[in-house]
Amino acid sequence: LFTHAYPGIVSYMDKDLRYQFVSPSYLEWFGIDPRTILGKHVSEIIGQESFQDRHPYMLRALMGEKVIFPSTLKHKTLGLRNTEQIYYPDADENGLVQGIFALAHDVTERI
């Protein structure tokens, strides 16, 4: 329900950085068929260059840190968009990080 109401895009990656969930808006943003994304490594979907830019932030989140950073994402029809991204660690009851919740929202109009 949250992912349908959130105005940005949402995904969840396991600790191996493989997609386990993406919101409908994520699929729409990138123009991806939902059958082709689950289980794929992030680099296979966003490309190696974008992955290299974001990988340090992902590593910080996998270490248990909430990370917020500005980024640029390419929308399938709107082109490059300025976004604020949040990587939030998903830790179990023992504090072991199992994956990352990734949220992004478009801030292009605010800049």
Side-chain angles (χ1 to χ4, degrees):
L1 183 59
F2 167 77
T3 61
H4 289 345
Y6 181 68
I9 59 177
V10 180
S11 64
Y12 179 82
M13 300 159 281
D14 64 20
K15 60 186 174 184
D16 295 323
L17 300 178
R18 295 193 175 278
Y19 286 103
Q20 299 302 312
F21 171 82
V22 292
S23 65
S25 57
Y26 189 102
L27 298 170
E28 182 182 321
W29 182 284
F30 293 107
I32 298 171
D33 182 329
R35 297 168 293 186
T36 64
I37 192 169
L38 298 183
K40 298 279 176 122
H41 192 270
V42 175
S43 63
E44 294 177 79
I45 302 301
I46 67 171
Q48 197 60 38
E49 184 177 334
S50 290
F51 175 70
Q52 290 303 319
D53 289 343
R54 290 163 179 76
H55 191 236
Y57 300 111
M58 292 175 186
L59 291 176
R60 288 171 51 191
L62 287 171
M63 296 292 290
E65 178 184 351
K66 177 183 174 185
V67 183
I68 302 172
F69 62 99
S71 184
T72 303
L73 290 176
K74 186 174 183 179
H75 187 279
K76 72 175 183 176
T77 57
L78 300 175
L80 293 178
R81 307 298 287 175
N82 296 310
T83 64
E84 178 179 68
Q85 295 200 333
I86 302 168
Y87 291 160
Y88 194 87
D90 174 29
D92 66 15
E93 62 277 353
N94 297 314
L96 298 173
V97 176
Q98 302 299 306
I100 303 168
F101 292 101
L103 298 92
H105 60 276
D106 191 340
V107 296
T108 303
E109 304 307 320
R110 286 196 246 161
I111 296 177

